[in-house]
Amino acid sequence: MTSLDKPTEDTQDTEADDARAVTEAALFEAFGGVRGMVETVLPGLLFVTIFTLNNDLHMSAIAALAVSLVLVVVRLAMKDTVKHAFSGVFGVAFGVVFAMMTDNAKNFYLPGMLYTLGLALAYIVTSLAGVPLIGLILGPVFKENLSWRTRNPGRKKAYTKASYAWGFILLAKSAILFPLYWWADTEQLGWVLVALKIPPFLLAVWLTWVFLAKAPAPIDVFAEIEAAEQAEKEREERAKAEREARGEDALDPAPGGRHRKG
């Protein structure tokens, strides 16, 4: 190794570390991080705990819905993003409605299970169609929007792999839960569902990070737009200055820009 090689390698290592850090931060933001996971697990955990203790559907449903609303209020009070908490409220609300209408506590879990199955199919189908869903989700987070589709094939490949990973992981989760929905009792289904909330999610996020960490850097289309707008502004200013200069020359043909008296 020459003395010139080491700085180059150090620079490459630094850039790779920066890219991984950006990827980690983007995934953390997109999927809610630890707090988002807590908000996802807590309502279902409370429901199955109360139902296991007293077999009371109404109390379990009300408690789950109440804690979801509290999580939203806390985020609003902290002026934080509420998309993850709101999604939890809607999911719990649908579960409560299904369970109450059918008077079957097991149906509290059915909307979430159907959503998981639908999401698994969406990941797989969009990957087959060449528009992987994970790219549509993370593109705006990385400020690249859809530039990866036509301008960054390596990144598109990484998004496709990640989408397949999400799809098959969620499909495997559905393959476990739906038989339990038919054959197990409410408590068994509930505890298995709570146990399967976080591990598959973490596996999918980790695989997404692995694929994207090895992919080319995202193209910051917002920076490109800003640069183009700035360049256009500078061109307009130069053109204006040139027009003003030509106008002064036409009015004052004498050398040095001063009028001569005859």
Side-chain angles (χ1 to χ4, degrees):
M1 180 184 297
T2 66
S3 59
L4 296 177
D5 292 332
K6 186 171 179 56
T8 301
E9 292 181 1
D10 290 343
T11 301
Q12 292 175 345
D13 291 341
T14 301
E15 291 176 352
D17 291 340
D18 291 343
R20 283 192 289 268
V22 169
T23 299
E24 290 172 5
L27 291 175
F28 195 87
E29 176 185 345
F31 298 114
V34 175
R35 188 172 181 180
M37 287 187 287
V38 170
E39 291 171 344
T40 300
V41 172
L42 191 56
L45 177 60
L46 189 59
F47 179 91
V48 70
T49 300
I50 294 176
F51 192 83
T52 300
L53 293 174
N54 60 20
N55 209 35
D56 188 327
L57 168 59
H58 291 79
M59 182 181 294
S60 303
I62 291 172
L65 187 57
V67 75
S68 297
L69 292 171
V70 168
L71 292 173
V72 171
V73 171
V74 170
R75 279 194 178 263
L76 288 173
M78 298 179 66
K79 297 181 180 180
D80 200 356
T81 178
V82 296
K83 61 181 179 179
H84 298 290
F86 265 130
S87 64
V89 168
F90 288 128
V92 172
F94 278 119
V96 168
V97 170
F98 268 60
M100 294 291 191
M101 288 180 62
T102 60
D103 198 29
N104 184 350
K106 196 182 292 187
N107 285 338
F108 173 79
Y109 305 109
L110 187 57
M113 292 167 56
L114 292 172
Y115 174 77
T116 298
L117 178 59
L119 192 59
L121 296 176
Y123 276 118
I124 294 172
V125 170
T126 55
S127 297
L128 291 171
V131 193
L133 181 58
I134 200 71
L136 300 178
I137 294 172
L138 294 181
V141 177
F142 284 110
K143 300 180 181 180
E144 60 182 334
N145 284 350
L146 296 179
S147 63
W148 50 267
R149 287 198 64 200
T150 55
R151 300 173 57 193
N152 204 337
R155 199 154 182 88
K156 179 180 178 180
K157 184 177 180 180
Y159 281 139
T160 301
K161 289 180 179 179
S163 289
Y164 275 126
W166 278 89
F168 287 117
I169 287 171
L170 295 180
L171 205 59
K173 179 179 176 180
S174 298
I176 295 172
L177 293 177
F178 275 97
L180 289 175
Y181 175 79
W182 296 109
W183 300 329
D185 58 31
T186 301
E187 293 89 339
Q188 291 171 334
L189 174 62
W191 287 112
V192 171
L193 197 146
V194 169
L196 288 178
K197 278 284 187 181
I198 301 303
F201 172 81
L202 291 179
L203 175 60
V205 171
W206 178 74
L207 287 173
T208 302
W209 178 83
V210 169
F211 295 138
L212 291 181
K214 297 178 180 179
I219 298 170
D220 191 337
V221 295
F222 297 108
E224 288 183 342
I225 293 172
E226 291 176 358
E229 291 176 347
Q230 181 64 28
E232 180 63 24
K233 182 178 179 181
E234 291 175 356
R235 281 195 297 269
E236 291 177 355
E237 290 176 350
R238 285 197 300 269
K240 181 180 179 181
E242 290 173 359
R243 287 194 300 270
E244 291 176 350
R246 287 195 298 269
E248 289 177 0
D249 290 341
L251 293 173
D252 190 2
R258 296 180 180 178
H259 291 284
R260 292 185 177 182
K261 296 182 180 178

